[in-house]
Amino acid sequence: MEEAQLAENIENVQRKIARAADQAGRAPEDITLIAVSKTMPLELVQQAYRLGLKDFGENKVQDALPKIAASQPEDLNWHMIGHLQSNKASKVVGSFACIHSLDSLHLANVLNRHAQEHGKQQAVLLQINVSGEESKEGMTLEEAPELARQILTLPYLEIQGLMTIAPRVENPEEVRPVFRRLRLLRDRLRDQLPQASWQHLSMGMTDDYLVAITEGATMVRIGRAIFGERTYK
């Protein structure tokens, strides 16, 4: 992709985020744009960084680590947004600013142990399977409060909020209830478990991020609208 096209794509997305935030009575700067760089070459990530993007999302550990090792500006933040297997937990702690896909107590315990070995707290989001689709990972709405309570006892993990992946639909308005239920769960957890900040709602991708923003998203994960169509691995 030519840098001029990439710049135009980024500007278009940022403009739409600002408009959606304004319509919802929110500040655009309260919404973090995470550029989903999975399957994209390092050179494209570096171009996007030069154009002002600071947050990038990867969903496979083995693809992300070489990029992270090769590109480490202090203000560049990497986000693990894909399903994380516990046997790869040691590789993500300390490499990612935030892990969006914490979906079980077992994984939490493994991450906590590796974070302790690194001597640092690891920021995490709890992944919630709001839609109940069998093809999606995540805690159910019903089990999330108790699992959150147990994970909060782990001293080396810092729960910062929730994440969900909405079903793919033709009309983005169809997934508004999914985003709303995640926000309502976050609000309930904030009241019940105030020891965590619960500041973030990571929800919304290229097809539905504008709806997600109106429902309270603080992080949107945008790939196609920035980098164009990708060849999935």
Side-chain angles (χ1 to χ4, degrees), residues 25 41 57-58 61 71 100 112 126 138 140 161 180 187 215 232-233:
E58 293 281 329
V61 176
S71 185
H100 292 227
N112 184 71
L126 306 184
T140 66
R180 184 168 296 167
D187 293 346
E215 289 297 332
Y232 287 91
K233 294 181 180 179

Side-chain angles (χ1 to χ4, degrees), residues 1-12 47 51 225-228:
M1 177 182 289
E2 295 293 331
E3 191 159 324
Q5 181 63 61
L6 181 61
E8 181 180 341
N9 291 351
I10 292 171
E11 183 180 354
N12 286 339
Q47 282 185 22
L51 291 166
I226 292 175
F227 295 117

Side-chain angles (χ1 to χ4, degrees), residues 85-100:
Q85 296 174 323
S86 58
N87 61 0
K88 295 181 180 177
S90 63
K91 298 179 180 179
V92 303
V93 171
S95 296
F96 291 88
C98 185
I99 298 170
H100 292 227

Side-chain angles (χ1 to χ4, degrees), residues 38-216:
K38 62 181 183 181
T39 79
M40 294 297 164
L42 175 63
E43 293 74 16
L44 204 53
V45 172
Q46 292 171 329
Q47 282 185 22
Y49 174 78
R50 289 195 298 269
L51 291 166
L53 296 188
K54 307 298 184 185
D55 294 85
F56 295 86
E58 293 281 329
N59 74 332
K60 291 186 177 181
V61 176
Q62 65 270 26
D63 293 339
L65 292 181
K67 295 179 187 177
I68 295 172
S71 185
Q72 296 180 333
E74 289 186 1
D75 59 347
L76 191 158
N77 301 308
W78 293 94
H79 300 255
M80 170 49 62
I81 61 175
H83 176 60
L84 179 60
Q85 296 174 323
S86 58
N87 61 0
K88 295 181 180 177
S90 63
K91 298 179 180 179
V92 303
V93 171
S95 296
F96 291 88
C98 185
I99 298 170
H100 292 227
S101 48
L102 176 50
D103 60 3
S104 71
L105 181 60
H106 171 69
L107 178 59
N109 280 309
V110 175
L111 286 171
N112 184 71
R113 184 174 73 250
H114 290 299
Q116 182 178 17
E117 292 169 357
H118 280 76
K120 64 182 298 181
Q121 277 200 320
Q122 175 65 59
V124 298
L125 305 181
L126 306 184
Q127 182 173 355
I128 311 298
N129 185 354
V130 177
S131 65
E133 292 178 280
E134 292 185 4
S135 61
K136 287 186 169 58
E137 308 291 340
M139 311 172 187
T140 66
L141 288 166
E142 293 73 24
E143 66 188 1
E146 180 55 32
L147 286 174
R149 191 182 306 275
Q150 295 178 64
I151 293 169
L152 278 169
T153 67
L154 302 176
Y156 292 91
L157 298 186
E158 180 187 357
I159 299 178
Q160 294 189 347
L162 306 176
M163 183 271 262
T164 199
I165 302 172
R168 296 194 68 173
V169 295
E170 289 189 12
N171 180 4
E173 282 294 329
E174 294 179 28
V175 295
R176 183 179 293 277
V178 171
F179 299 142
R180 184 168 296 167
R181 285 197 291 270
L182 191 74
R183 173 170 53 82
L184 292 174
L185 173 63
R186 189 277 310 271
D187 293 346
R188 189 162 72 250
L189 292 174
R190 179 181 279 166
D191 290 338
Q192 295 174 353
L193 303 169
Q195 56 268 50
S197 68
W198 302 108
Q199 67 196 73
H200 287 306
L201 289 175
S202 173
M203 58 188 193
M205 299 188 289
T206 290
D207 293 331
D208 54 26
Y209 70 98
L210 298 179
V211 173
I213 288 171
T214 64
E215 289 297 332

Side-chain angles (χ1 to χ4, degrees), residues 17 26-35 54-56 77 79 100 200-204 213 217-222:
I17 288 174
R26 304 179 60 202
E29 56 267 25
D30 291 340
I31 300 161
T32 299
L33 169 57
I34 299 174
K54 307 298 184 185
D55 294 85
F56 295 86
N77 301 308
H79 300 255
H100 292 227
H200 287 306
L201 289 175
S202 173
M203 58 188 193
I213 288 171
T218 64
M219 294 176 166
V220 292
R221 310 181 303 272
I222 312 298

